[in-house]
Amino acid sequence: EAPDPGAIVMHLDPGLAFGTGTHQTTALCLEWLATHTVAQRDVIDYGCGSGILGLAALLLGAARVRAVDIDPQALTATHDNAGRNGIDPARLVVGEPALLAGAEAADLLLANILAGPLIELAPRLAALVAPGGHAILSGVLATQAEAVRAAWLPWFTHVGTAQRDEWCRIDLLRSERPAPC
């Protein structure tokens, strides 16, 4: 069956990395991207896996994506999938988390990792989102959502939560006010 002529088609080979779009957490993030404007936005894909979320953002018009992962297989898969989809290399930077040290804040943070790291990294990741920017967090079981939300609330306003089966996505908006000391 031919795809919808208006659809954006992504060619993806995850290799040994996580992220095919079929897992509930990835699907929840893709749904967010499909229903929000990402055109001309600066995006961080933290825990990029196959690169699926960052590449989707670029295909939807994001100005730039910084794709970050601790797994070298994920970085390779992201590079390969960018080439497979004709992504302009000037719009995609791929590397380990150190890539973000001292980096300018982004308009959008996509972090589809696990609840533990989302809680532990909250202060560091929050600093990477510009005031008025969004953080889209996934990889979270519904039973863990409140703990993740609470870790991010010093910097963000909770905008919504979406759920598929036992997994959820937490949508946050970066506050204009500085975090409390």
Side-chain angles (χ1 to χ4, degrees), residues 28-78:
L28 285 164
C29 291
L30 290 170
E31 286 173 4
W32 191 93
L33 286 169
T35 57
H36 292 79
T37 302
V38 297
Q40 301 309 310
R41 295 181 85 183
D42 185 14
V43 178
I44 294 172
D45 180 1
Y46 197 92
C48 62
S50 67
I52 187 170
L53 299 178
L55 297 177
L58 287 167
L59 292 170
L60 290 166
R64 173 177 72 151
V65 168
R66 289 171 276 170
V68 175
D69 208 297
I70 59 173
D71 180 0
Q73 299 281 357
L75 303 178
T76 298
T78 299

Side-chain angles (χ1 to χ4, degrees), residues 1 28 58 83 104 168 172 178:
E1 181 177 318
L28 285 164
L58 287 167
E104 65 187 66
C168 68
L172 303 167

